[in-house]
Amino acid sequence: MRKHIVRLIEVVILLLAISTTTLGVEYIARIDNMELGRIQVEYTKNGWISVSEIQYGEKYTIETRTAYGPNGFFQVYEATFKTNGELVAKILGVNKAGKTTITLYAYYDPKAPSVKTFTFTEPNIVLLDNNFIIPHFEMILRMPQPRFQILIPQALFNPSKTDKASGIAMLKRLSDRSYVLSYEGTEIKITTDEKGIVRMEYNNGIVVERVAEKKSETTHQPMNQNRQNMKNTPRSGR
């Protein structure tokens, strides 16, 4: 009997080890035949991680972490921006007690960043940031509604676009696996499968498409399941 118990424990440990080896997802962004960059997406115990490496003349790297609560709305959002490997900006967003606070850090002087804070009190704000943050789109599709109060934190860096950083986006279902998301003249056709987003087509010609999967050592949450509540409140910073 003891031998059988020991063997059972070994089997359970093996199954747990297998379950933690999961798949991250890679996307490619392009316009016509020109590649703009690649996006790596992964779910971890501390939230969704998205890393976009985009070529706009220079190499831009945008790494984000978004942690969501049991209601499907974000709790903590962190983003870092690098140009050719050099840190140029950060964002820290917190949604707590019905208030959303976004703090921007611009590193014009690496030793003394410029800091600005914006506060939003609209209920049920949905993050939808720039530079192809795939998890933000995934979460919208998990609780599809015809209208969303969205927030684009990156737009707050540009004073001329601050008034466009928050507003109402429209979501229309075309079929079981197809949607159109619209906001301020931008339309995005989103196609999904059982794993999540397969393709996003912007009306300006940009296409973002899932191209590969890779193994990861983190616990993965399938794209087509609802998010579980995070047991530990994420802390700001990396």
Side-chain angles (χ1 to χ4, degrees):
M1 174 65 73
R2 186 170 185 176
K3 181 178 180 181
H4 289 299
I5 293 174
V6 170
R7 178 57 181 161
L8 179 60
I9 292 173
E10 290 175 348
V11 171
V12 170
I13 292 173
L14 176 62
L15 290 174
L16 288 173
I18 293 173
S19 69
T20 57
T21 302
T22 59
L23 297 176
V25 184
E26 183 180 25
Y27 291 81
I28 184 171
R30 59 181 172 80
I31 184 165
D32 296 327
N33 293 323
M34 182 178 70
E35 181 176 325
L36 298 176
R38 293 183 177 251
I39 304 98
Q40 303 286 339
V41 179
E42 197 167 22
Y43 179 78
T44 77
K45 64 181 180 180
N46 292 319
W48 286 97
I49 303 297
S50 175
V51 180
S52 301
E53 293 187 345
I54 310 296
Q55 292 285 347
Y56 292 130
E58 298 179 292
K59 180 180 178 180
Y60 291 87
T61 303
I62 303 96
E63 180 174 351
T64 70
R65 179 177 73 91
T66 314
Y68 289 87
N71 59 1
F73 294 98
F74 94 98
Q75 292 180 326
V76 175
Y77 175 59
E78 298 172 322
T80 60
F81 304 83
K82 295 180 180 180
T83 302
N84 296 327
E86 182 179 349
L87 179 66
V88 294
K90 286 184 180 181
I91 296 175
L92 174 61
V94 177
N95 183 1
K96 186 176 182 181
K99 183 173 70 174
T100 299
T101 302
I102 303 292
T103 303
L104 309 180
Y105 301 84
Y107 288 83
Y108 306 113
D109 179 350
K111 296 182 180 180
S114 171
V115 181
K116 290 184 179 180
T117 298
F118 298 83
T119 300
F120 301 85
T121 57
E122 294 88 346
N124 300 330
I125 282 181
V126 174
L127 286 186
L128 191 62
D129 217 349
N130 289 331
N131 289 301
F132 318 118
I133 312 302
I134 303 294
H136 294 176
F137 292 91
E138 287 285 358
M139 292 305 295
I140 282 180
L141 298 184
R142 291 188 184 190
M143 48 180 187
Q145 303 173 30
R147 292 165 57 90
F148 287 91
Q149 179 72 44
I150 69 166
L151 177 60
I152 308 172
Q154 291 181 42
L156 296 171
F157 280 111
N158 187 340
S160 67
K161 295 184 178 180
T162 299
D163 60 334
K164 304 295 184 182
S166 180
I168 301 296
M170 309 296 292
L171 182 68
K172 180 180 179 181
R173 184 193 293 269
L174 301 179
S175 67
D176 287 344
R177 299 292 188 184
S178 182
Y179 306 82
V180 171
L181 181 67
S182 305
Y183 180 68
E184 292 291 336
T186 296
E187 290 192 353
I188 309 168
K189 182 180 179 182
I190 305 173
T191 305
T192 67
D193 63 9
E194 67 279 359
K195 295 181 181 179
I197 290 174
V198 176
R199 182 182 174 93
M200 300 196 304
E201 302 171 62
Y202 291 71
N203 61 347
N204 62 1
I206 293 176
V207 174
V208 179
E209 193 165 22
R210 192 172 70 207
V211 294
E213 294 182 333
K214 65 172 185 174
K215 286 193 174 182
S216 166
E217 294 301 321
T218 56
T219 302
H220 178 72
Q221 184 176 25
M223 298 282 193
N224 59 352
Q225 293 182 359
N226 289 327
R227 172 158 287 95
Q228 296 179 354
N229 187 15
M230 295 196 176
K231 296 183 179 180
N232 296 322
T233 301
R235 296 178 297 174
S236 62
R238 301 299 304 169

